[in-house]
Amino acid sequence: MKYLIITLLLAVPVAWSIGSGGTGFAEILQLLRGEEISAVQKTILLDLRLPRILGALLVGGMLSSSGCAAQNLFRNDLASPHVLGCVNAAALGAVAALLCGAGSVMMGISALAATLITLVILLIPGYFSRWESSSMILGGVAVNACCAALSSGALYLADERLNTLVFWLLGGFWRMGWQEVLLLLGSALAGWGVLFGLRNEMDMLLLGDRGAAMAGVSLKKVKILVLTVIALLTAVAVSCCGVIGFVGLAIPHIVRLTGSGRFAYLLPRSILGGALLLLLADLAGRTIVPQREIPVGIITALAGAPFFFFLLIRKRADNA
């Protein structure tokens, strides 16, 4: 984990210094020493780049920790907030609020409400199947398809707001301000605290539902609580930056390949890995093409799709 921390500590000042406006390391050092810099440079550093960097770090950690929890909960390397329908449900709620002209807070509330409704729907097959994981995953796939269709319908009704809506759905941090950072920070700390508090139960879930129940784990309580945390983290992240895929799938799986499978080991490393991935993806998105910005969701999809196929092939080979 120390290498992840060191890499993050090196990447943050680099990302802070790169961008338009002619503001770089020299101005950052002047700002940190308390020296005077121009009002424009201070705005670029403190009100544009810094919230964007912090937002990328928090969203990356939130999405990867959600994926880590989902993979443990369902004992499936391919589980993620996307598979459960949480991402598309949150996007649908946020899109509805955006079409009504709502701000970030209302978008977050709307996204969370839509995700919680999805959660309730997922609990229905869970209840009738005695909380069997496969039934809940299949329910998530169905909800995912439904929410994606409704989001497409919203795009059809967007009219003059279509460009804004499409660009937002592709995912990115250009809207990130201090209000969004505070919303992300509060949600992240609450969600991560609950997940870390359930670290022993999450390890027990890997024994299977019957083994976990025999070990004293309350399947109903733990699954509902973990699904609620996944919904919270995903909804707030999506409401602030749009749809960014494959982070919750790829990062936890990579972390599992590098060390212990204990949840207390996986969770913090997944958070740091997701934070680093989105920080680098955002930096690439705003620097690869001069004077233009590539949405982060496109970059993570291009990188994540081949990795997803690798997981499928590897899983098939393991089962052979």
Side-chain angles (χ1 to χ4, degrees):
M1 189 163 72
K2 65 180 180 180
Y3 297 110
L4 277 173
I5 295 174
I6 292 172
T7 306
L8 269 175
L9 291 176
L10 293 174
V12 167
V14 171
W16 198 11
S17 66
I18 295 177
S20 59
T23 306
F25 275 118
E27 289 74 21
I28 292 175
L29 291 175
Q30 287 178 291
L31 180 67
L32 295 177
R33 287 197 297 257
E35 300 175 6
E36 285 296 323
I37 59 176
S38 70
V40 173
Q41 291 172 331
K42 186 178 291 187
T43 298
I44 290 173
L45 290 176
L46 296 181
D47 296 330
L48 296 178
R49 289 189 198 167
L50 188 56
R52 183 171 187 147
I53 290 169
L54 294 176
L57 295 173
L58 287 168
V59 169
M62 292 165 76
L63 293 177
S64 58
S65 60
S66 297
C68 182
Q71 289 173 14
N72 260 59
L73 185 65
F74 296 107
R75 304 183 304 281
N76 192 324
D77 293 340
L78 303 179
S80 72
H82 260 88
V83 173
L84 298 178
C86 293
V87 171
N88 278 337
L92 176 61
V95 163
L98 190 62
L99 286 175
C100 296
S104 299
V105 175
M106 286 306 300
M107 285 178 65
I109 293 174
S110 179
L112 180 58
T115 313
L116 289 177
I117 292 172
T118 299
L119 173 62
V120 172
I121 295 173
L122 284 180
L123 295 179
I124 295 174
Y127 175 80
F128 285 104
S129 65
R130 298 183 180 180
W131 309 103
E132 187 182 53
S133 298
S134 59
S135 298
M136 298 177 73
I137 290 179
L138 290 173
V141 171
V143 171
N144 194 35
C146 180
C147 291
L150 291 174
S151 295
S152 299
L155 292 178
Y156 179 75
L157 299 174
D159 296 328
E160 70 276 1
R161 290 164 292 187
L162 179 62
N163 287 339
T164 301
L165 203 55
V166 169
F167 201 60
W168 179 83
L169 282 173
L170 291 174
F173 300 100
W174 58 89
R175 297 176 60 252
M176 196 64 60
W178 286 110
Q179 184 180 29
E180 287 79 13
V181 170
L182 291 176
L183 178 63
L184 288 167
L185 180 61
S187 304
L189 292 177
W192 294 340
V194 173
L195 289 179
F196 192 77
L198 292 172
R199 59 192 181 279
N200 294 328
E201 287 82 354
M202 296 299 285
D203 288 335
M204 293 295 182
L205 288 175
L206 295 178
L207 300 173
D209 290 347
R210 180 175 298 180
M214 292 179 62
V217 176
S218 174
L219 294 178
K220 178 180 178 181
K221 176 182 175 181
V222 171
K223 289 192 175 186
I224 291 176
L225 191 55
V226 173
L227 284 172
T228 303
V229 171
I230 292 173
L232 170 67
L233 295 176
T234 304
V236 175
V238 170
S239 69
C240 290
C241 66
V243 178
I244 298 177
F246 291 103
V247 179
L249 172 68
I251 294 298
H253 189 77
I254 292 172
V255 172
R256 290 176 195 277
L257 297 176
T258 60
S260 170
R262 295 181 61 246
F263 195 73
Y265 172 94
L266 296 173
L267 181 62
R269 286 162 177 80
S270 294
I271 292 171
L272 293 174
L276 179 61
L277 174 63
L278 277 199
L279 178 65
L280 297 178
D282 180 56
L283 179 60
R286 57 189 173 90
T287 56
I288 289 177
V289 181
Q291 308 302 321
R292 293 184 66 88
E293 180 172 334
I294 301 174
V296 174
I298 293 178
I299 295 175
T300 58
L302 288 174
F307 186 80
F308 183 75
F309 279 104
F310 163 76
L311 287 185
L312 289 174
I313 295 170
R314 183 176 181 272
K315 191 174 182 65
R316 177 62 62 88
D318 290 342
N319 293 333

PDB file of all heavy atoms in Angstrom, residues 17 51 117 124 129 140 154 160 163 177 193 240-241 261 298 310 313:
ATOM      1  N   SER A  17      -0.523  20.974 -11.333  1.00  0.00           N
ATOM      2  CA  SER A  17       0.298  21.947 -12.056  1.00  0.00           C
ATOM      3  C   SER A  17       0.055  21.970 -13.550  1.00  0.00           C
ATOM      4  O   SER A  17       0.517  22.883 -14.238  1.00  0.00           O
ATOM      5  CB  SER A  17       1.786  21.643 -11.808  1.00  0.00           C
ATOM      6  OG  SER A  17       2.152  20.398 -12.385  1.00  0.00           O
ATOM      7  N   PRO A  51     -10.490  21.436  -6.692  1.00  0.00           N
ATOM      8  CA  PRO A  51     -11.722  20.652  -6.500  1.00  0.00           C
ATOM      9  C   PRO A  51     -11.823  19.496  -7.494  1.00  0.00           C
ATOM     10  O   PRO A  51     -12.331  18.426  -7.146  1.00  0.00           O
ATOM     11  CB  PRO A  51     -12.842  21.679  -6.735  1.00  0.00           C
ATOM     12  CG  PRO A  51     -12.209  22.995  -6.515  1.00  0.00           C
ATOM     13  CD  PRO A  51     -10.784  22.854  -6.950  1.00  0.00           C
ATOM     14  N   ILE A 117     -34.581   3.019  -4.656  1.00  0.00           N
ATOM     15  CA  ILE A 117     -35.718   2.295  -5.238  1.00  0.00           C
ATOM     16  C   ILE A 117     -35.229   1.026  -5.927  1.00  0.00           C
ATOM     17  O   ILE A 117     -35.833  -0.051  -5.805  1.00  0.00           O
ATOM     18  CB  ILE A 117     -36.475   3.203  -6.231  1.00  0.00           C
ATOM     19  CG1 ILE A 117     -37.162   4.345  -5.476  1.00  0.00           C
ATOM     20  CG2 ILE A 117     -37.497   2.399  -7.030  1.00  0.00           C
ATOM     21  CD1 ILE A 117     -37.775   5.395  -6.376  1.00  0.00           C
ATOM     22  N   ILE A 124     -36.450  -7.769  -3.450  1.00  0.00           N
ATOM     23  CA  ILE A 124     -37.612  -8.639  -3.650  1.00  0.00           C
ATOM     24  C   ILE A 124     -37.191 -10.052  -4.058  1.00  0.00           C
ATOM     25  O   ILE A 124     -37.577 -11.030  -3.398  1.00  0.00           O
ATOM     26  CB  ILE A 124     -38.581  -8.021  -4.681  1.00  0.00           C
ATOM     27  CG1 ILE A 124     -39.158  -6.718  -4.124  1.00  0.00           C
ATOM     28  CG2 ILE A 124     -39.696  -9.002  -5.028  1.00  0.00           C
ATOM     29  CD1 ILE A 124     -40.012  -5.955  -5.127  1.00  0.00           C
ATOM     30  N   SER A 129     -35.798 -15.699  -2.448  1.00  0.00           N
ATOM     31  CA  SER A 129     -34.802 -16.760  -2.679  1.00  0.00           C
ATOM     32  C   SER A 129     -33.900 -16.967  -1.465  1.00  0.00           C
ATOM     33  O   SER A 129     -32.833 -17.550  -1.594  1.00  0.00           O
ATOM     34  CB  SER A 129     -33.946 -16.399  -3.903  1.00  0.00           C
ATOM     35  OG  SER A 129     -33.185 -15.235  -3.658  1.00  0.00           O
ATOM     36  N   GLY A 140     -30.579  -7.399 -10.647  1.00  0.00           N
ATOM     37  CA  GLY A 140     -29.829  -6.191 -10.963  1.00  0.00           C
ATOM     38  C   GLY A 140     -29.654  -6.000 -12.458  1.00  0.00           C
ATOM     39  O   GLY A 140     -29.725  -4.878 -12.970  1.00  0.00           O
ATOM     40  N   ALA A 154     -35.008   9.839 -21.715  1.00  0.00           N
ATOM     41  CA  ALA A 154     -34.747  11.208 -21.248  1.00  0.00           C
ATOM     42  C   ALA A 154     -33.925  11.985 -22.261  1.00  0.00           C
ATOM     43  O   ALA A 154     -34.146  13.179 -22.478  1.00  0.00           O
ATOM     44  CB  ALA A 154     -34.032  11.163 -19.897  1.00  0.00           C
ATOM     45  N   GLU A 160     -32.974  21.132 -26.424  1.00  0.00           N
ATOM     46  CA  GLU A 160     -31.770  21.962 -26.498  1.00  0.00           C
ATOM     47  C   GLU A 160     -30.741  21.602 -25.427  1.00  0.00           C
ATOM     48  O   GLU A 160     -29.592  22.021 -25.500  1.00  0.00           O
ATOM     49  CB  GLU A 160     -32.136  23.453 -26.374  1.00  0.00           C
ATOM     50  CG  GLU A 160     -32.608  23.891 -24.994  1.00  0.00           C
ATOM     51  CD  GLU A 160     -34.090  23.628 -24.764  1.00  0.00           C
ATOM     52  OE1 GLU A 160     -34.740  23.077 -25.681  1.00  0.00           O
ATOM     53  OE2 GLU A 160     -34.580  23.985 -23.682  1.00  0.00           O
ATOM     54  N   ASN A 163     -26.930  18.238 -25.707  1.00  0.00           N
ATOM     55  CA  ASN A 163     -25.469  18.216 -25.672  1.00  0.00           C
ATOM     56  C   ASN A 163     -24.947  18.172 -24.239  1.00  0.00           C
ATOM     57  O   ASN A 163     -24.035  17.412 -23.911  1.00  0.00           O
ATOM     58  CB  ASN A 163     -24.901  19.439 -26.400  1.00  0.00           C
ATOM     59  CG  ASN A 163     -25.057  19.329 -27.901  1.00  0.00           C
ATOM     60  OD1 ASN A 163     -25.217  18.235 -28.429  1.00  0.00           O
ATOM     61  ND2 ASN A 163     -25.025  20.456 -28.588  1.00  0.00           N
ATOM     62  N   GLY A 177     -17.000  21.407  -8.072  1.00  0.00           N
ATOM     63  CA  GLY A 177     -16.705  22.570  -7.232  1.00  0.00           C
ATOM     64  C   GLY A 177     -16.598  22.131  -5.788  1.00  0.00           C
ATOM     65  O   GLY A 177     -16.713  20.941  -5.455  1.00  0.00           O
ATOM     66  N   GLY A 193     -16.638   3.960   6.374  1.00  0.00           N
ATOM     67  CA  GLY A 193     -16.674   3.588   7.789  1.00  0.00           C
ATOM     68  C   GLY A 193     -17.542   2.368   8.039  1.00  0.00           C
ATOM     69  O   GLY A 193     -17.163   1.460   8.784  1.00  0.00           O
ATOM     70  N   CYS A 240     -22.461  13.601  -9.140  1.00  0.00           N
ATOM     71  CA  CYS A 240     -21.464  14.676  -9.200  1.00  0.00           C
ATOM     72  C   CYS A 240     -20.633  14.652 -10.477  1.00  0.00           C
ATOM     73  O   CYS A 240     -20.110  15.696 -10.888  1.00  0.00           O
ATOM     74  CB  CYS A 240     -20.525  14.587  -7.993  1.00  0.00           C
ATOM     75  SG  CYS A 240     -21.297  15.028  -6.420  1.00  0.00           S
ATOM     76  N   CYS A 241     -20.482  13.473 -11.106  1.00  0.00           N
ATOM     77  CA  CYS A 241     -19.552  13.418 -12.246  1.00  0.00           C
ATOM     78  C   CYS A 241     -20.083  12.628 -13.431  1.00  0.00           C
ATOM     79  O   CYS A 241     -19.362  12.466 -14.420  1.00  0.00           O
ATOM     80  CB  CYS A 241     -18.215  12.827 -11.800  1.00  0.00           C
ATOM     81  SG  CYS A 241     -18.324  11.103 -11.308  1.00  0.00           S
ATOM     82  N   GLY A 261      -6.663 -11.779   0.380  1.00  0.00           N
ATOM     83  CA  GLY A 261      -8.058 -11.634   0.021  1.00  0.00           C
ATOM     84  C   GLY A 261      -8.913 -11.115   1.159  1.00  0.00           C
ATOM     85  O   GLY A 261     -10.130 -11.011   1.007  1.00  0.00           O
ATOM     86  N   ILE A 298     -15.093   7.869 -21.240  1.00  0.00           N
ATOM     87  CA  ILE A 298     -14.594   7.260 -22.482  1.00  0.00           C
ATOM     88  C   ILE A 298     -13.247   6.599 -22.237  1.00  0.00           C
ATOM     89  O   ILE A 298     -12.979   5.481 -22.699  1.00  0.00           O
ATOM     90  CB  ILE A 298     -14.498   8.327 -23.590  1.00  0.00           C
ATOM     91  CG1 ILE A 298     -15.892   8.813 -23.973  1.00  0.00           C
ATOM     92  CG2 ILE A 298     -13.761   7.772 -24.810  1.00  0.00           C
ATOM     93  CD1 ILE A 298     -15.892   9.901 -25.026  1.00  0.00           C
ATOM     94  N   PHE A 310     -10.685  -9.975 -20.420  1.00  0.00           N
ATOM     95  CA  PHE A 310      -9.663 -10.779 -19.744  1.00  0.00           C
ATOM     96  C   PHE A 310     -10.256 -11.508 -18.546  1.00  0.00           C
ATOM     97  O   PHE A 310      -9.963 -12.694 -18.320  1.00  0.00           O
ATOM     98  CB  PHE A 310      -8.502  -9.875 -19.310  1.00  0.00           C
ATOM     99  CG  PHE A 310      -7.604 -10.491 -18.271  1.00  0.00           C
ATOM    100  CD1 PHE A 310      -6.680 -11.472 -18.622  1.00  0.00           C
ATOM    101  CD2 PHE A 310      -7.685 -10.095 -16.940  1.00  0.00           C
ATOM    102  CE1 PHE A 310      -5.865 -12.042 -17.663  1.00  0.00           C
ATOM    103  CE2 PHE A 310      -6.871 -10.664 -15.984  1.00  0.00           C
ATOM    104  CZ  PHE A 310      -5.949 -11.647 -16.346  1.00  0.00           C
ATOM    105  N   ILE A 313     -12.417 -14.462 -19.779  1.00  0.00           N
ATOM    106  CA  ILE A 313     -11.603 -15.579 -20.252  1.00  0.00           C
ATOM    107  C   ILE A 313     -10.932 -16.286 -19.092  1.00  0.00           C
ATOM    108  O   ILE A 313     -10.893 -17.512 -19.023  1.00  0.00           O
ATOM    109  CB  ILE A 313     -10.560 -15.070 -21.263  1.00  0.00           C
ATOM    110  CG1 ILE A 313     -11.265 -14.544 -22.516  1.00  0.00           C
ATOM    111  CG2 ILE A 313      -9.584 -16.182 -21.636  1.00  0.00           C
ATOM    112  CD1 ILE A 313     -10.353 -13.816 -23.466  1.00  0.00           C
TER     113      ILE A 313
END
